[in-house]
Amino acid sequence: MPNIYLTIALVPLLGAIVAGLFGNQIGRSGAHWVTTIGVALSFLLSLVVFNHIVIDGAEPYNGTVYTWLISDGIHMEVGFLIDQLTAMMIVVVTFVSLMVHIYTIGYMRDDPGYQRFFSYISLFTFSMLMLVMANNFMQLFFGWEAVGLVSYLLIGFWYKKETAIYANLKAFLVNRVGDFGFLLGIAAILLYFNSLDYMDVFKAAPSLTNLTMEIIPGSEWSVMSVICILLFIGAMGKSAQVPLHVWLPDSMEGPTPISALIHAATMVTAGIFMVARMSPLYELSETALSVILVIGAITALFMGILGIIQNDIKRVVAYSTLSQLGYMTVALGASAYAAGIFHLMTHAFFKALLFLAAGSVIIALHHEQDIRKMGGLKKYLPITYWCMLIGSLALIGFPGFSGFFSKDAIIEAAQHSELPGAGFAYACVLLGVFITAFYSFRMFFLVFHGEERIDHHARAHLHESPLVVTLPLIGLAIPSVLAGAFYIGPMLFGNFFGNAIVVQDAHNVLAEIGADFTGWGGFVLHGLSGPAVWLAAAGVFAAWFLYLKRPELPARIQGACGWLYKLLDRKYYCDDFNDFFFAGGARGIGRLFWRIGDVKLIDGLLVNGTARSIGWLSGVIRQVQTGYLYHYAFVMIIGLLLMLSWILFSE
């Protein structure tokens, strides 16, 4: 089996190398074949691993593949931990990546950077696989930084476009902030545990529960809380939690396939996966769990609200990702790690579906992305229509669809949690249901229903996307409908994850919810009696009423609430604050160093100061050279007297 694990990770890397270095030799078709076949092989082998570990119940594998360095007993290794959590993650990552690879063949067919794009997305898949399969913090950090690097390359893929360059730089810098905290967390683990191996750290963690440190003299901090919060800061960057969320909407500047890959199965889920993997540590710090709970709740609600006013079809889906990541984070904070991972899985399917469906619309309209310039597309794009409808229903948590089971479980978990901040989190995720349904179906109705607002040139060439685009949509639509019902029992209330996820009895909210679980049908009936489903229905009705029945009302509401619209349009002024305080502050400090260091010290004192000193000294010496003989005789006499004085007095 170790050879299979190695093959799963390395085949996408091989495809990326071939497409990237030999793209001109193998051509466009060669690039997509070598990368797509590589990811397909990884997916098939992932299914073999899933069957072996999860279905057959084999023992998890934890082993070293390569030892890079041993220093003072610290092992720097490449190793794999293949348990139930890893098996599920590699299936999701490779399946979504495979769908994106196939879809890209149609979407990017006319792009001059075709081979380069396939190289990047295959490299992205390799990076994420190395991250989720790691059994130690060094390899975790490698995968963590690798997905960050490749996301930088992909967001700025169209490097001649200024907005794309700004977006990838923004993503890179914001993630460096999170990664600084993450690296400090890993350093603290190395300091206190003297190991980077997961199992060594997890075994030793309970003995450090009461250990404290002094970050500020005279103030004691729990070591475990500090480590967990530092690691979560890294997750805040990768999984775009407030206030490190600002990079994710701008990542839409990359091509649509990479938007789907980043938002669905790879980079943004890395933080969620990491916290779930570190559950043995987080269970020892209620402080860290409360922080996670509150941050996730704020993200879930307030980022969803921003989706209401977006008019770019991809940005609506992007803000939906931000909100849904908030839901996953709330689940982690409530110690419902399985619910968070369950929503990660279902979200990967329906969010990739939504992005790729949005891309199908964009292709059909010759890269028009403004939903105000669409409408009535149902009859032109029937397959895209039904796939977008399935994705939207899964997103809002329509009963029976995959998103319903995972999202409802998170809402229930927040309600049952007794941690500080749980009441606030429950209110946020519940209100977020209405918001999600409203902005999702606002987009859906404006794109596919109502009057046609399409440019006449686009209408003349309007038709359904080719099979290479629609086939991945259908492939993603199936698990978007079925995955929730199939896996809610084993994942949330069974022993699906085994020992991969650890929850203390005092925090086990899923056990309380599972006491009344009678199967997926019973869960649907229970959901129908709760407020979430009816809030979602209210959101859909409000979107229908405002954008189909009375389309003149939104403009009136916007005019009456201009201040609120401006607040949302400026994204709560987060970007303005960052531009003023951080970017402006950095520029201000740079100018200060330039004026003092460059102009005054280096140029003024060292360079020009030296020149002026030499000029002054030469001017003084020049005065000595008068050309008069009696001046020279006088100087010689004075010099002779001084020498005689020195000789006499020295004796």
Side-chain angles (χ1 to χ4, degrees):
M1 290 303 282
N3 290 334
I4 291 181
Y5 307 144
L6 200 57
T7 304
I8 290 172
L10 293 184
V11 170
L13 175 63
L14 179 62
I17 292 171
V18 173
L21 297 182
F22 307 102
N24 291 333
Q25 287 78 11
I26 63 176
R28 297 164 76 88
S29 61
H32 71 236
W33 276 114
V34 71
T35 52
T36 305
I37 289 173
V39 173
L41 179 59
S42 287
F43 171 60
L44 293 174
L45 292 176
S46 297
L47 291 178
V48 172
V49 172
F50 186 87
N51 179 74
H52 179 67
I53 298 292
V54 177
I55 297 175
D56 293 344
E59 283 294 313
Y61 172 83
N62 182 19
T64 299
V65 175
Y66 172 71
T67 300
W68 174 53
L69 177 68
I70 301 177
S71 176
D72 291 333
I74 307 298
H75 289 245
M76 306 286 186
E77 299 173 336
V78 176
F80 294 142
L81 172 58
I82 311 296
D83 55 13
Q84 295 89 335
L85 176 59
T86 307
M88 188 277 291
M89 284 296 298
I90 60 176
V91 169
V92 171
V93 169
T94 53
F95 174 69
V96 174
S97 179
L98 177 60
M99 294 299 103
V100 170
H101 274 71
I102 296 171
Y103 178 93
T104 301
I105 297 171
Y107 191 89
M108 300 289 288
R109 64 183 178 184
D110 298 322
D111 196 284
Y114 191 82
Q115 294 97 314
R116 179 166 56 93
F117 189 80
F118 272 98
S119 176
Y120 285 171
I121 58 175
S122 193
L123 184 61
F124 206 2
T125 306
F126 159 74
S127 302
M128 189 64 185
L129 288 171
M130 288 296 285
L131 189 155
V132 300
M133 295 169 72
N135 73 345
N136 63 85
F137 286 94
M138 189 201 78
Q139 186 176 327
L140 173 70
F141 188 71
F142 164 78
W144 196 266
E145 292 304 308
V147 294
L149 170 63
V150 185
S151 70
Y152 169 81
L153 296 173
L154 284 163
I155 294 168
F157 180 78
W158 288 320
Y159 55 84
K160 294 182 180 179
K161 188 178 175 185
E162 287 189 13
T163 52
I165 297 304
Y166 176 80
N168 76 345
L169 182 61
K170 187 176 183 180
F172 189 81
L173 291 176
V174 172
N175 273 277
R176 297 293 70 71
V177 175
D179 292 352
F180 181 67
F182 189 61
L183 190 57
L184 286 177
I186 294 175
I189 285 172
L190 183 59
L191 176 65
Y192 285 95
F193 292 91
N194 202 39
S195 176
L196 291 173
D197 185 86
Y198 288 167
M199 292 300 116
D200 292 344
V201 172
F202 295 161
K203 286 176 185 175
S207 64
L208 272 69
T209 305
N210 299 318
L211 189 65
T212 60
M213 66 166 71
E214 285 191 6
I215 299 176
I216 302 169
S219 177
E220 300 250 334
W221 295 65
S222 165
V223 167
M224 199 56 62
S225 293
V226 169
I227 288 173
C228 290
I229 291 172
L230 286 172
L231 292 176
F232 179 65
I233 290 172
M236 287 168 64
K238 279 289 180 287
S239 296
Q241 297 298 291
V242 172
L244 300 182
H245 66 283
V246 292
W247 68 270
L248 194 60
D250 289 338
S251 69
M252 295 301 96
E253 293 296 333
T256 298
I258 195 51
S259 299
L261 198 55
I262 288 178
H263 286 239
T266 54
M267 183 170 172
V268 297
T269 61
I272 306 300
F273 165 80
M274 184 274 295
V275 174
R277 171 62 78 199
M278 300 301 143
S279 60
L281 303 182
Y282 281 94
E283 283 300 288
L284 302 175
S285 174
E286 290 195 353
T287 301
L289 290 175
S290 292
V291 169
I292 294 171
L293 193 63
V294 172
I295 293 290
I298 293 170
T299 306
L301 177 60
F302 291 96
M303 294 302 105
I305 292 173
L306 292 182
I308 295 173
I309 66 158
Q310 301 301 315
N311 296 312
D312 184 310
I313 187 171
K314 285 172 65 178
R315 283 185 178 265
V316 175
V317 186
Y319 278 103
S320 143
T321 299
L322 278 169
S323 181
Q324 297 309 303
L325 287 167
Y327 276 86
M328 297 177 212
T329 305
V330 166
L332 300 175
S335 290
Y337 305 100
I341 295 296
F342 186 39
H343 196 52
L344 182 158
M345 179 188 77
T346 60
H347 175 266
F349 298 134
F350 64 71
K351 186 51 57 68
L353 175 61
L354 285 170
F355 266 114
L356 299 188
S360 178
V361 171
I362 293 168
I363 293 171
L365 296 178
H366 300 282
H367 295 277
E368 177 60 66
Q369 296 185 197
D370 193 333
I371 59 177
R372 296 170 297 184
K373 298 178 182 178
M374 300 180 188
L377 293 181
K378 177 183 177 182
K379 63 183 177 183
Y380 301 105
L381 309 172
I383 298 175
T384 302
Y385 171 83
W386 287 108
C387 289
M388 180 73 90
L389 179 60
I390 288 171
S392 299
L393 290 173
L395 171 61
I396 71 170
F398 188 84
F401 285 71
S402 62
F404 164 78
F405 296 100
S406 54
K407 184 183 281 189
D408 222 50
I410 292 171
I411 294 169
E412 290 282 326
Q415 185 180 17
H416 282 76
S417 177
E418 297 180 358
L419 289 171
F424 170 75
Y426 176 65
C428 287
V429 294
L430 201 56
L431 186 55
V433 172
F434 172 83
I435 301 297
T436 302
F438 180 76
Y439 68 67
S440 298
F441 275 85
R442 169 184 176 265
M443 175 188 71
F444 183 77
F445 291 142
L446 285 175
V447 172
F448 292 103
H449 291 277
E451 63 174 302
E452 294 183 9
R453 301 174 297 278
I454 312 163
D455 177 80
H456 70 278
H457 176 71
R459 186 185 288 110
H461 301 87
L462 195 55
H463 58 81
E464 182 61 271
S465 299
L467 188 64
V468 74
V469 171
T470 55
L471 191 62
L473 297 183
I474 297 167
L476 287 163
I478 294 169
S480 295
V481 176
L482 301 177
F486 268 91
Y487 284 103
I488 182 173
M491 273 198 179
L492 297 192
F493 310 118
N495 194 36
F496 181 93
F497 291 108
N499 295 323
I501 291 175
V502 175
V503 184
Q504 291 186 1
D505 292 339
H507 299 159
N508 201 347
V509 292
L510 288 179
E512 297 178 35
I513 300 169
D516 300 321
F517 180 72
T518 56
W520 69 267
F523 197 84
V524 170
L525 292 175
H526 174 73
L528 291 171
S529 65
V533 170
W534 303 107
L535 282 168
V540 175
F541 175 78
W544 170 82
F545 183 78
L546 288 173
Y547 292 96
L548 291 183
K549 184 72 174 174
R550 298 287 302 277
E552 76 281 0
L553 285 180
R556 291 186 193 173
I557 295 170
Q558 180 181 331
C561 303
W563 64 271
L564 179 59
Y565 180 84
K566 185 177 180 182
L567 176 67
L568 299 180
D569 187 51
R570 302 303 300 176
K571 296 171 274 190
Y572 307 119
Y573 294 95
C574 290
D575 282 337
D576 298 270
F577 174 78
N578 289 336
D579 287 342
F580 170 76
F581 186 78
F582 292 110
R587 287 193 297 269
I589 293 171
R591 281 193 296 269
L592 181 65
F593 283 143
W594 168 69
R595 285 180 185 143
I596 296 175
D598 240 24
V599 176
K600 294 189 182 242
L601 291 179
I602 297 173
D603 291 342
L605 183 61
L606 296 179
V607 179
N608 296 329
T610 302
R612 281 193 294 268
S613 299
I614 292 172
W616 173 83
L617 183 60
S618 64
V620 171
I621 295 173
R622 189 167 60 247
Q623 298 303 318
V624 176
Q625 302 294 329
T626 63
Y628 292 111
L629 184 60
Y630 58 86
H631 285 170
Y632 299 151
F634 177 74
V635 170
M636 291 171 64
I637 292 168
I638 295 298
L640 183 60
L641 290 173
L642 289 173
M643 288 178 62
L644 290 171
S645 300
W646 178 73
I647 292 170
L648 290 172
F649 287 108
S650 62
E651 292 178 356

